[in-house]
Amino acid sequence: MYTFSNRLKIFAGILIVLGLLGVAYGFMSSHKSLDEVKEMIAAEASHGGHGDSHETDAHDVSNAHSTDAHHAETATNDHHANVGHDDAHAEHVMHQIHNRPYSALYVAAFFFMMIALGVLAFYAIQFAAQAGWSPLLFRVMEGITYYLLPGAIIVLAIALFAGDHIFVWMNPDMVNPESEHYDKLVDGKSGWLNSTGFLIRGVIFIAGWSIYRFFARKFSLAQDEAQAGDNSNFKKSFRIAAGFLVFFIYSESMMSWDWIMSVDPHWFSTLFGWYVFASMFVSGITVIALITIYLKSKGLLPEVNDSHIHDLAKFMFGISIFWTYLWFSQFMLIWYSNIPEEVTYFVTRIEDYRLPFFGMVAMNFLFPLLLLMNSDYKRIPWFVVMAGIVILAGHYLDIFNMIMPATVGDRWFIGVPEISAILLFAGLFILFVFYAISKAPLKAKGNPFVKESEHFHY
Amino acid sequence: MESSKVIHAIYNDDDVLMNAVKKVKTAKHHIEEIYTPFPVHGLDKAMGLAPTRIAITAFLYGCVGLSVAVLMMNFIMIQDWPQDIGGKPSFSFLENMPAFVPIMFELTVFFAAHLMVITFYLRSRMWPFKKAENPDPRTTDDHFLMEIPVHGNENELQNLLAETGAVEINIVDKAH
């Protein structure tokens, strides 16, 4: 039995307080008026070469990728021609600056929610596959998935609260033919992309995941109390796990369209759902490994041996490569065919996000590939922890790269709003996860495979 | 030609064999070879065999394959004749790299896999017309055979092996 130590509680509390302060600061410092933004742009331009090239970059991007701007520049360029392009640019930049704290909050909230969701999928797969090695880790996984319900509700709440600061299609002017901001493409998609549908779908996804999580946990605890030889609860878990996995793969895919892909409503990609799934899966497995190593270092998981760590590290290694495969497949297909309407997505990222965009490939692929290839290294806890931290940072950047280019464009920076949003949700995550872990014995002793798991040896 | 004697202890169960190996090792006798019809899990550990290094060779072969692919594509597509093919940027390797990645990947795998297999054949001395080195045909079906060299301690060895549950113990002259 794990007791939630006061030190960890205080640590999580400090993270939350620091995070809240930083997030509040982010919202206050982003309220810039149009005049302030014009001054700022003028100051940047006076830097000479840099300012100039920057400005042309920004124009290229905003023209190619009109959804960055709230007012769909390309579609309405004619209206703005007489107003003067400088004003339009300044307004565009002002919106990007306003969007930043919302996006920073959203990226971090999604990142931690996605960890819990990835773990839930992994957990269901362990049941459906009747894995013999993992039952010793089930309580750790159940603890992590406890964050899913609050985490997902927070993500949905931020999405609806931020409205058109993150999701331009939530601006009612975009679907109003009378408005100068009218966007025909967005209007054409309004059958799917409308706030009501977004909310209903979000509630269905969260309800589906949470119902599975609730019953899986219930049956898992009930199996502990069951008489020897009575596996009825395990059988129920097996059945609902199989059902959940079917629901999950549909809902996850649609969730990724709604919660991530729709920040760029002019752009679409077919393997996007899988790509997001790979990201959440590898982050989830990494967090299982990190928390397992933490609890084991406290002496609370005496039966978990280095073969279990080895298996988790193999999953981290393999799914990292799977993620890279999907990342590259998406990138290469679009780069190769170079169709203007889809390639803008990568043009923005390569021009304005070069370091995070390619840096994340190094962090999510090269680093785990080289570190975790050796079978001996996969058994060394500090090695797995080190690789795990880089993988998690890399997948944060992945989500960052999905959201930020659409909302803040080239006005991005990983500064106070971003870091404090990470601190805030990291604190919440620790609080929820370790609370849930402290609520049940760490060994799922009723599981019919737990004996095999104790003797697991690779 | 000098002739030396070996002792062949035959078992018909892998568990018995494993225990026998442990016993013979604790009695500090050298085990020349063990013939089994199928892989016995943990036998190499019990015998104290050094771990294989074939994975390391495979990694190095993969690096060779990657280099071959990069050098080849760079020479052909960028250095030798940088044509404009469908607007692909052939000014530098990096600019056109995504198009080369499928080939780089496949050649890495190709070199790693094939050279590793060939290394395995060479190191275990296997080739098509190789004469089989099988002391007893039953070891390919359902018997396990442990071969121990004899250095004038025949009786002691025979007693030890009999204790370990061998179904048959033969002393064989092995011509060198």
Side-chain angles (χ1 to χ4, degrees):
Chain A
M1 202 73 181
Y2 168 74
T3 31
F4 197 166
S5 70
N6 268 330
R7 279 171 64 192
L8 197 61
K9 268 184 209 163
I10 292 168
F11 175 66
I14 291 172
L15 289 182
I16 294 174
V17 172
L18 278 181
L20 278 176
L21 287 175
V23 167
Y25 169 78
F27 275 101
M28 287 192 308
S29 63
S30 74
H31 275 297
K32 287 204 160 52
S33 69
L34 193 57
D35 290 333
E36 283 171 316
V37 172
K38 278 181 187 164
E39 273 172 38
M40 199 183 75
I41 293 171
E44 280 171 11
S46 68
H47 281 300
H50 165 73
D52 286 345
S53 69
H54 160 76
E55 202 170 343
T56 44
D57 272 3
H59 283 299
D60 283 350
V61 169
S62 55
N63 283 337
H65 197 78
S66 62
T67 53
D68 279 355
H70 278 194
H71 46 161
E73 256 177 3
T74 328
T76 58
N77 248 348
D78 294 343
H79 297 282
H80 284 291
N82 48 4
V83 184
H85 201 80
D86 278 350
D87 280 359
H89 176 60
E91 201 188 327
H92 175 60
V93 171
M94 182 186 76
H95 283 304
Q96 291 182 329
I97 292 172
H98 288 182
N99 290 346
R100 188 174 153 201
Y102 293 98
S103 310
L105 201 62
Y106 188 69
V107 170
F110 186 88
F111 175 68
F112 283 97
M113 185 284 292
M114 138 182 135
I115 291 173
L117 186 55
V119 171
L120 190 66
F122 189 74
Y123 178 75
I125 290 172
Q126 298 306 305
F127 269 102
Q130 304 199 356
W133 66 278
S134 51
L136 280 181
L137 308 175
F138 278 172
R139 288 292 145 78
V140 176
M141 298 184 208
E142 286 164 14
I144 299 171
T145 55
Y146 188 61
Y147 180 74
L148 181 59
L149 179 60
I153 290 174
I154 291 170
V155 171
L156 197 62
I158 295 175
L160 292 166
F161 164 68
D164 65 354
H165 282 289
I166 298 176
F167 301 97
V168 276
W169 54 263
M170 283 191 185
N171 184 349
D173 281 353
M174 288 194 94
V175 291
N176 175 12
E178 306 298 315
S179 164
E180 59 167 342
H181 301 323
Y182 178 66
D183 186 315
K184 208 176 165 194
L185 292 177
V186 172
D187 194 19
K189 293 182 183 184
S190 58
W192 179 274
L193 289 183
N194 56 71
S195 299
T196 321
F198 184 89
L199 176 65
I200 293 171
R201 287 190 302 271
V203 169
I204 293 173
F205 303 151
I206 296 173
W209 304 332
S210 304
I211 289 168
Y212 168 68
R213 197 268 164 196
F214 174 80
F215 282 105
R217 169 76 163 184
K218 190 179 150 197
F219 295 147
S220 174
L221 292 181
Q223 183 68 42
D224 271 9
E225 307 301 321
Q227 307 238 310
D230 172 18
N231 285 336
S232 59
N233 285 301
F234 175 77
K235 285 178 187 161
K236 283 186 215 156
S237 311
F238 173 76
R239 274 188 227 114
I240 58 170
F244 166 72
L245 285 170
V246 175
F247 173 77
F248 172 78
I249 205 65
Y250 285 102
S251 59
E252 187 275 334
S253 193
M254 288 190 239
M255 177 276 283
S256 73
W257 308 336
D258 266 2
W259 295 5
I260 295 193
M261 198 159 76
S262 79
V263 296
D264 286 291
H266 283 188
W267 182 82
F268 52 86
S269 163
T270 43
L271 63 66
F272 199 76
W274 278 102
Y275 173 57
V276 174
F277 166 72
S279 212
M280 67 170 62
F281 206 47
V282 69
S283 317
I285 293 165
T286 304
V287 171
I288 298 174
L290 295 184
I291 293 183
T292 305
I293 290 171
Y294 170 74
L295 292 175
K296 188 170 165 52
S297 74
K298 298 262 165 207
L300 292 162
L301 291 170
E303 280 147 338
V304 170
N305 56 40
D306 52 3
S307 290
H308 293 97
I309 306 294
H310 189 156
D311 256 33
L312 286 170
K314 274 192 281 189
F315 269 110
M316 285 160 63
F317 175 76
I319 308 295
S320 284
I321 291 170
F322 177 64
W323 173 88
T324 315
Y325 167 64
L326 294 175
W327 173 82
F328 183 71
S329 302
Q330 174 166 291
F331 170 69
M332 196 262 252
L333 282 179
I334 290 174
W335 172 87
Y336 214 119
S337 57
N338 203 18
I339 301 171
E341 68 214 47
E342 20 180 74
V343 86
T344 51
Y345 185 82
F346 287 110
V347 170
T348 356
R349 277 151 186 81
I350 291 174
E351 281 183 357
D352 299 334
Y353 289 74
R354 185 161 296 200
L355 182 65
F357 186 66
F358 291 109
M360 92 180 164
V361 181
M363 290 166 88
N364 292 343
F365 174 60
L366 287 183
F367 196 83
L369 178 85
L370 296 175
L371 274 195
L372 294 177
M373 191 179 317
N374 189 316
S375 157
D376 295 333
Y377 294 169
K378 289 200 266 273
R379 305 177 152 257
I380 305 172
W382 68 266
F383 230 93
V384 177
V385 170
M386 198 167 70
I389 288 169
V390 174
I391 290 175
L392 285 181
H395 285 280
Y396 171 78
L397 271 187
D398 190 15
I399 306 300
F400 186 85
N401 280 323
M402 292 178 192
I403 303 286
M404 287 297 184
T407 56
V408 304
D410 60 350
R411 296 277 150 186
W412 69 273
F413 191 71
I414 299 191
V416 175
E418 285 79 9
I419 291 171
S420 38
I422 297 175
L423 295 183
L424 169 62
F425 289 106
L428 280 177
F429 186 81
I430 292 174
L431 217 51
F432 275 96
V433 168
F434 284 93
Y435 168 78
I437 291 177
S438 71
K439 280 292 146 191
L442 277 172
K443 184 174 157 191
K445 67 175 180 354
N447 190 293
F449 289 107
V450 79
K451 205 90 190 155
E452 182 179 338
S453 184
E454 280 167 33
H455 297 287
F456 175 65
H457 157 79
Y458 169 72
Chain B
M1 197 186 262
E2 188 203 356
S3 94
S4 68
K5 283 182 180 166
V6 293
I7 203 158
H8 279 173
I10 296 178
Y11 300 86
N12 55 11
D13 188 279
D14 49 342
D15 278 343
V16 180
L17 173 77
M18 284 293 283
N19 290 329
V21 170
K22 281 169 197 155
K23 259 189 190 162
V24 173
K25 286 304 272 188
T26 42
K28 301 250 191 276
H29 289 293
H30 172 68
I31 301 175
E32 182 72 30
E33 193 65 274
I34 293 182
Y35 297 86
T36 64
F38 52 78
V40 178
H41 192 76
L43 187 59
D44 52 340
K45 279 226 174 70
M47 288 170 72
L49 298 182
T52 172
R53 288 168 296 184
I54 199 147
I56 299 169
T57 67
F59 178 77
L60 296 175
Y61 295 145
C63 295
V64 172
L66 183 64
S67 315
V68 168
V70 170
L71 293 173
M72 177 178 77
M73 302 306 289
N74 184 49
F75 176 72
I76 299 173
M77 304 302 290
I78 310 293
Q79 305 294 330
D80 190 35
W81 194 353
Q83 298 184 86
D84 181 342
I85 303 168
K88 283 279 156 276
S90 49
F91 308 107
S92 73
F93 183 78
L94 216 54
E95 271 176 296
N96 210 358
M97 196 190 72
F100 303 148
V101 165
I103 295 155
M104 284 152 62
F105 171 77
E106 292 294 346
L107 278 185
T108 307
V109 174
F110 180 87
F111 272 63
H114 289 82
L115 292 181
M116 178 177 77
V117 167
I118 293 169
T119 307
F120 170 73
Y121 286 156
L122 291 175
R123 288 293 287 147
S124 23
R125 290 189 218 101
M126 299 208 302
W127 57 86
F129 298 103
K130 153 107 176 184
K131 194 174 170 302
E133 299 165 354
N134 193 354
D136 189 321
R138 288 175 298 170
T139 61
T140 62
D141 182 13
D142 60 348
H143 282 64
F144 303 81
L145 188 152
M146 190 196 301
E147 185 178 287
I148 301 171
V150 180
H151 303 289
N153 50 356
E154 285 171 37
N155 290 334
E156 185 204 336
L157 261 176
Q158 261 176 326
N159 291 339
L160 177 72
L161 291 170
E163 267 175 43
T164 61
V167 289
E168 204 179 304
I169 298 170
N170 307 320
I171 296 182
V172 183
D173 266 327
K174 215 179 180 183
H176 277 286

